[in-house]
Amino acid sequence: GDSVTQMEGPVTLSEEAFLTINCTYTATGYPSLFWYVQYPGEGLQLLLKATKADDKGSNKGFEATYRKETTSFHLEKGSVQVSDSAVYFCALRGGGNEKLTFGTGTRLTIIP
Amino acid sequence: DTAVSQTPKYLVTQMGNDKSIKCEQNLGHDTMYWYKQDSKKFLKIMFSYNNKELIINETVPNRFSPKSPDKAHLNLHINSLELGDSAVYFCASSQGGRGGGEKLFFGSGTQLSVL
């Protein structure tokens, strides 16, 4: 079945550091890939997505590129801010599948 | 206005009790979901309804029963609560027909603690 593996947290970085959160997936067909973010005390919200190979999703300075050859969708940001502190979830929706499959989440803490 | 609202926000109860969590969305979406997030933040889908019809039912104990009176509401009733049911339960909705949508809108969660 479909699955998503993302790097274990927690991740703690200083403000303005470079961020990478790794995500790899297993799926049949051609899945769509997503990053969701959960700020403290809130529900998840979509951060960015990519629907086919080599697509790059981007939002709020975050980027992720759909790499079919490595089955990866790593999240990156060049300069993080304290307000980026949250839990980040990688997710996929397989072709013909009716549900999103989430990774286990990575807690990110940015210190000033 | 809150797009997806669920109540209560916190629920503390004894083992063996029956409780309900309510969810309403005002986005006009066709599809609603219940997700369970455990203490390690692992998020797992439980149910999905499209236009009041159950379309996803993961391996969930039958003590959990979703009810959708209309497409804007999806309530979750839990019978005979157990310690292992303690978690945060998220309601979500999306637009996109039977296949659901790719962009889910989540409620802020209900933290259930079973003592």
Side-chain angles (χ1 to χ4, degrees), chain A residues 24-111:
Chain A
T24 57
Y25 67 90
T26 302
T28 54
Y30 302 93
S32 296
L33 302 173
F34 309 86
W35 277 100
Y36 274 79
V37 57
Q38 182 182 21
Y39 297 105
E42 298 182 14
L44 282 73
Q45 50 188 280
L46 180 66
L47 179 61
L48 54 85
K49 71 175 186 179
T51 57
K52 60 183 189 299
D54 299 326
D55 268 3
K56 178 186 283 188
S58 61
N59 186 25
K60 298 182 180 180
F62 290 89
E63 293 183 339
T65 301
Y66 189 144
R67 302 282 188 206
K68 189 166 169 53
E69 64 276 13
T70 54
T71 62
S72 65
F73 192 55
H74 303 324
L75 183 68
E76 296 181 336
K77 186 173 185 181
S79 176
V80 292
Q81 306 301 313
V82 172
S83 57
D84 294 326
S85 298
V87 182
Y88 291 82
F89 291 87
C90 186
L92 72 82
R93 181 165 176 251
N97 204 334
E98 295 182 337
K99 64 180 182 182
L100 283 178
T101 299
F102 285 88
T104 52
T106 302
R107 180 180 296 280
L108 173 67
T109 302
I110 307 301
I111 52 178

Side-chain angles (χ1 to χ4, degrees), chain B residues 72-87:
Chain B
H73 295 83
L74 181 62
N75 303 323
L76 183 65
H77 189 74
I78 315 170
N79 288 329
S80 303
L81 278 155
E82 300 177 358
L83 293 177
D85 297 333
S86 296

Side-chain angles (χ1 to χ4, degrees), chain A residues 6-22:
Chain A
Q6 58 182 108
M7 65 188 286
E8 294 234 2
V11 174
T12 302
L13 294 173
S14 298
E15 209 165 15
E16 298 183 4
F18 184 87
L19 168 72
T20 300
I21 301 178
N22 290 339

Side-chain angles (χ1 to χ4, degrees), chain B residues 44-46 57-62:
Chain B
K44 188 172 171 61
I45 191 167
M46 301 173 69
N57 185 352
E58 291 295 287
T59 307
V60 176
N62 57 15

Side-chain angles (χ1 to χ4, degrees), chain A residues 38 42-44 87 89 103-105 107, chain B residues 34-46 85-90 108-112:
Chain A
Q38 182 182 21
E42 298 182 14
L44 282 73
V87 182
F89 291 87
T104 52
R107 180 180 296 280
Chain B
W34 277 107
Y35 279 84
K36 179 181 180 181
Q37 186 177 43
D38 64 24
S39 58
K40 297 183 179 179
K41 297 295 186 182
F42 185 65
L43 196 65
K44 188 172 171 61
I45 191 167
M46 301 173 69
D85 297 333
S86 296
V88 181
Y89 292 83
F90 284 99
S108 55
T110 295
Q111 180 151 356
L112 172 64

